[in-house]
Amino acid sequence: MKYPSKIVLEYAQFVLTRVFGTGVETCVLWVCSRILFPPGYFYEYILSPIIGFEIAVMSNFLFSYFWIWSKRIPHKSGVDFWRRFFIFNGASVAGFLAKMVFLLAFERIFRWDVEWCNLAALLISGLLNFFLADSLVFRKSKEMAQKSSE
């Protein structure tokens, strides 16, 4: 069983790294849409955001793998790294889709501006992303769970 302070610390680290990831995503989006690619709707609104999102996901994963949940990975290897990244990436996409559902729902229900809908949706999808990372991507191995219950 987790101590409340342990999960609060992990969640605080998670939020901090996601704020950094948001900055990474925004910078990559800007560089791609303003410098790397020619003007055009596809490059600005489709390709650049996808590249920014994926680079932010990698940034978030690196923090998660080597900092937040590092102690849960008993045997780090290239295979383990990429296997977890693949699952993490899928969980991040699920979190993004959930965010979009809530964003659109809040706009329909409350008629808020997109920024407020996005912030409210981020709160919910952030909890979902934390839960998925904690319980799916970086879940304790059976041997670690056994040691902590003793």
Side-chain angles (χ1 to χ4, degrees):
M1 179 165 179
K2 277 192 181 187
Y3 296 107
S5 61
K6 175 97 169 111
I7 198 162
V8 168
L9 176 63
E10 287 173 348
Y11 187 70
Q13 292 170 324
F14 179 85
V15 169
L16 181 66
T17 61
R18 285 354 183 235
V19 168
F20 179 79
T22 299
V24 167
E25 182 174 0
T26 302
C27 288
V28 170
L29 172 66
W30 183 84
V31 168
C32 286
S33 65
R34 302 286 183 241
I35 298 172
L36 290 181
F37 297 127
Y41 183 86
F42 174 77
Y43 295 113
E44 245 180 282
Y45 290 96
I46 307 294
L47 188 58
S48 295
I50 289 171
I51 292 170
F53 175 78
E54 284 300 325
I55 291 176
V57 167
M58 178 55 85
S59 168
N60 292 340
F61 178 73
L62 290 171
F63 279 116
S64 296
Y65 191 86
F66 292 108
W67 184 40
I68 301 171
W69 288 290
S70 177
K71 290 183 173 103
R72 293 191 188 177
I73 306 166
H75 310 289
K76 290 184 175 78
S77 69
V79 171
D80 178 70
F81 180 89
W82 291 109
R83 181 184 61 79
R84 288 179 193 267
F85 176 73
F86 182 74
I87 297 166
F88 186 88
N89 197 27
S92 296
V93 169
F96 176 78
L97 294 174
K99 181 193 85 155
M100 292 305 297
V101 167
F102 282 107
L103 184 150
L104 296 172
F106 291 148
E107 191 282 324
R108 290 259 177 176
I109 295 167
F110 302 115
R111 302 282 184 216
W112 294 340
D113 289 335
V114 69
E115 295 85 5
W116 293 110
C117 294
N118 189 59
L119 285 173
L122 277 172
L123 292 173
I124 296 167
S125 66
L127 289 171
L128 173 66
N129 277 330
F130 178 78
F131 172 76
L132 290 173
D134 183 63
S135 63
L136 183 66
V137 182
F138 298 104
R139 71 179 174 265
K140 285 185 178 181
S141 65
K142 291 178 184 175
E143 65 187 47
M144 289 180 76
Q146 210 171 27
K147 284 181 185 177
S148 66
S149 67
E150 293 174 349

